[in-house]
Amino acid sequence: MTPADIDALDASLDAIDEWRDDMVVCLAGRILRIRVADQRVEQLIELAFGHLRHQLGAERPTLELRVAIGDVPGSHLTEPSDAVGVFRLPGGGVAVHHEGRQLELYRPSIGIDLLVAAQAATDPELLSHPMAATMAAWALDHHLLAMHSAAVEVDGRGVLLIGASGAGKSTTAMACAAAGLGFLGDDLCLVDPHSRTVYGWYGTMKLFDDSAAAIGSTKWSTMATNRLGKAVVGLSSADGIRLVDEAPLVALVVLDIDDGMGPRLIDLPRTKVIPAMRCTAVPLPGAMAPWLSGVATLARALPAFRVPLGWHLDDVVASIREAAARGCIT
Amino acid sequence: MVRLAKFPLSVAPARRKLRPAEASDPVVPDTISVNTARCTWETIDGETMVIDTNSGELFALRGLAAPVWDSLVGGQATAQSLAAEAGRRYGTAAHDELAVLLGVLIDAQLLVPGKLATEAAPAWPGVYEQPMLDRFDDIADILTLDPIHDVEPSAGWPYQHGGEKA
């Protein structure tokens, strides 16, 4: 990865004569314009962000995104440390290189650019969360935290679902969504800790087959399967899922392992909240201090609970409903 | 991936140069204060959560550890004097336990040689609560898997301050 790779990416995108239709979306109250240059990426952008589509009025977009397929600069590199990771750009912003298969850039004065190798256009992680790292960096510049968490909405109240990978965030979120609760995200959400608002980000989910079977929703069409065996699914209202753009955050729920006594809501002391939320941190330059400040703000303001999970999903959903009912509304 | 370091159980005092009941031990003479350039912290209900922004490690300080940390934010003291005062107020065990904990924080570079004019003055609690530290390295593991590189255009990427390629 060298500065020349960025120049090469710019040259590739600037050489594109014809961009397909713009998609304008509203994410966390900000207007974003996404331009795509290829039908293959148009489809994945629609799956990820179609639920946030916005009719542009007099307002100006606050962020421009360009997505194209092409030769990814730096793909010849073989040293993992040279090809992988998040690079802090001089003057602000980040570059994220995904092993020669994707290069994404966030430059505050320009926007977000993503160049995808043709053979990577169906990568499960790309399909489920395109541009996650660069959008998280942009969000950080706007005092929003990208959190590795799920979230659902209950009667207008947002509940953040916290758990490490494999803890059951997706299963819980989808069980709630299948029961009629609003879906805000199953793996990544944007949170404004100061206004205590949680925003829906991606209209996709990743779910194991056994979870899908337990939820009773086998009709979802799988776009890809990731290396862990999780199916990547694009959600839409046609599937009976109610995708929600935002909700006031009223409670934090830590998803815990099955203790054999069934899913139920248990109060979590405030001092346990920050350690329990460490799995929500997203690695980005300069993100650790805002993350700690943000989760401390949430921990002080909101009631926190833990829910031991189990396959009695009705009880899981009931626990989440109870957390929302006991949540803090200001 | 959680590494729990319960004190004084999992870190033997012998690992540190601070030794029990040696308040005048000359081995660690430097004053210490919080490394504000490297870490950030929040206190909730008497517990202080510290994050090392370089490594991503999270430290939860409880009991006597929290007021001592607070005092070292805006002031400085020698580790020995703090441990000695804890020993004088609460007994030998308190001396030893605080000395061990301070040693671990020094090792982690969360406490560094102090350059402050103010002397640290902990709000010593009336009742002794054992200083405790939980240390979590999950975020550090994430950073290792998905490293953040600094860059220097003339040196190629990645680049770490100090002139070496990462």
Side-chain angles (χ1 to χ4, degrees), chain B residues 71-152:
Chain B
S71 74
L72 293 170
V73 171
Q76 63 179 23
T78 66
Q80 292 145 312
S81 67
L82 291 168
E85 181 62 19
R88 189 185 70 77
R89 289 171 177 265
Y90 310 116
T92 304
H95 170 282
D96 296 351
E97 289 161 1
L98 183 59
V100 171
L101 181 127
L102 290 172
V104 172
L105 295 177
I106 292 168
D107 263 355
Q109 298 181 48
L110 300 184
L111 297 177
V112 291
K115 296 174 182 171
L116 304 170
T118 308
E119 188 170 343
W124 299 103
V127 177
Y128 175 66
E129 283 188 64
Q130 184 181 8
M132 302 282 283
L133 169 66
D134 289 337
R135 187 171 182 172
F136 304 95
D137 59 5
D138 324 47
I139 303 173
D141 287 345
I142 294 171
L143 291 175
T144 302
L145 290 171
D146 208 359
I148 297 170
H149 307 292
D150 284 319
V151 301
E152 169 56 53

Side-chain angles (χ1 to χ4, degrees), chain A residues 42-64:
Chain A
E42 186 176 25
Q43 184 187 11
L44 78 90
I45 293 300
E46 178 65 35
L47 285 166
F49 302 114
H51 65 296
L52 299 173
R53 197 181 282 279
H54 176 77
Q55 188 67 42
L56 190 62
E59 69 270 45
R60 288 174 56 85
T62 56
L63 183 72
E64 301 267 356

Side-chain angles (χ1 to χ4, degrees), chain A residues 1 86 88 90 270 278 300, chain B residues 2 42 138 147 149-151:
Chain A
M1 180 86 184
V86 180
R88 190 195 318 256
R270 246 202 301 248
R278 64 194 187 277
R300 291 189 185 102
Chain B
V2 181
E42 295 280 347
D138 324 47
H149 307 292
D150 284 319
V151 301

Side-chain angles (χ1 to χ4, degrees), chain A residues 1 3 6 81-82 84-90 270-271 274-275 278 281 283-285 288-289 291-293 296 299-300, chain B residues 2 40-45 47 49 51 53 56 58 136 138-139 142-143 146-151 153 157-158 165-166:
Chain A
M1 180 86 184
I6 290 185
S81 64
D82 285 350
V84 178
V86 180
F87 296 81
R88 190 195 318 256
L89 295 178
R270 246 202 301 248
T271 54
I274 292 179
R278 64 194 187 277
L284 281 174
M288 289 295 104
W291 173 82
L292 181 61
S293 171
R300 291 189 185 102
Chain B
V2 181
T40 184
W41 61 94
E42 295 280 347
T43 300
I44 295 179
D45 292 353
E47 293 193 14
M49 312 291 163
I51 195 158
T53 59
L58 178 69
F136 304 95
D138 324 47
I139 303 173
I142 294 171
L143 291 175
D146 208 359
I148 297 170
H149 307 292
D150 284 319
V151 301
W157 297 358
K165 265 193 114 185

